[in-house]
Structure formats: structure tokens, C-alpha cells
Amino acid sequence: MRKFRGKRIDNGKWAYGAFYPIKDEDVYFIINNCKSIDFDDGDTTFNGYKVHKKSVGEFTGLHDKNGKEIYEGDIIKGETRNFTVKFEEGMFTTDVGKYILNGDYEIIGNIFENAGLVKL
């Protein structure tokens, strides 16, 4: 199963698990055996957290040098500047096209909470 995270609407904390888009709404649900709220898509009832759509990012499968999971949207510290993790053309890269390697970087924030850490 692919793993995602999203910023919860109810309390601003991160939720982790699978995601489920809600048609015609600006929110998603993160589903992870939680006991928060139930919603019904007409056929199935799920347990999940309502999250901000723009905050949803996929787990890269990689970890930083401290063992922390790296997600799309994370800001990682490089030698000369900070980079944003992106998913483009079927792979995870940074905003300048540099490949991400396990353990070579340190997560210092994310674009949803710390956008000022990235130079434009």
C-alpha cells in the first residue's frame, strides 16, 4: 500500500495512511484505522481524517540521515541551499532535479508549514 500524509482540518496535526479524494470538494480523507470520523461514499463507509487537499504528499520510501520518513513537500537541507521534494515524471526528485538518496539529507520542514525555508 502506498502511504500518504495530510494536514488535518480539525486540529492541524498530520495524519498518515491511504488517501481518498472527495469528488468536487477541496478536501481529502486520510484513512488509517483511526477512530475520528466516518464518511460514506455511497457504497462503503470508511474511518478517516479530513485533511487539506494541498497538504497531501506521498511517502518517497526514503529516510533522511536521522531516520525520518521523507514525503513529497518536505524541505531538505543541501550543502548550499534547501530543496523541496517533488514527484515528477514517475520519480521523486527535488525542485532543481537533484535525485534524493537515502540518508544523504536532513528534513528541516515542509512547504505547508515552513515555505520560507526555500529560496525562490
Side-chain angles (χ1 to χ4, degrees):
M1 174 179 93
R2 293 165 51 193
K3 184 176 178 182
F4 295 82
R5 72 170 179 199
K7 199 92 155 130
R8 289 174 50 177
I9 289 174
D10 62 345
N11 66 9
K13 294 182 180 181
W14 289 102
Y16 298 85
F19 85 96
Y20 185 85
I22 305 300
K23 188 176 181 179
D24 300 326
E25 287 194 36
D26 197 33
V27 296
Y28 284 168
F29 281 91
I30 296 290
I31 304 162
N32 190 15
N33 298 324
C34 61
K35 297 176 181 175
S36 176
I37 57 174
D38 292 329
F39 65 97
D40 192 341
D41 73 352
D43 295 323
T44 308
T45 300
F46 299 95
N47 290 319
Y49 295 110
K50 203 173 200 179
V51 299
H52 296 280
K53 183 177 182 177
K54 292 183 179 187
S55 72
V56 175
E58 187 173 0
F59 175 47
T60 64
L62 302 173
H63 296 81
D64 76 355
K65 66 182 185 180
N66 299 313
K68 191 173 177 182
E69 293 179 339
I70 300 175
Y71 284 83
E72 182 180 10
D74 278 340
I75 299 169
I76 54 178
K77 184 176 181 166
E79 290 180 23
T80 58
R81 64 168 282 198
N82 301 332
F83 302 96
T84 304
V85 177
K86 297 188 174 229
F87 185 78
E88 296 178 330
E89 299 179 18
M91 69 181 106
F92 289 100
T93 64
T94 67
D95 52 344
V96 293
K98 189 172 184 178
Y99 295 102
I100 305 168
L101 302 174
N102 225 8
D104 286 355
Y105 301 98
E106 180 177 15
I107 298 169
I108 58 170
N110 63 70
I111 59 173
F112 313 105
E113 299 172 314
N114 318 101
L117 294 174
V118 180
K119 294 180 185 176
L120 300 177

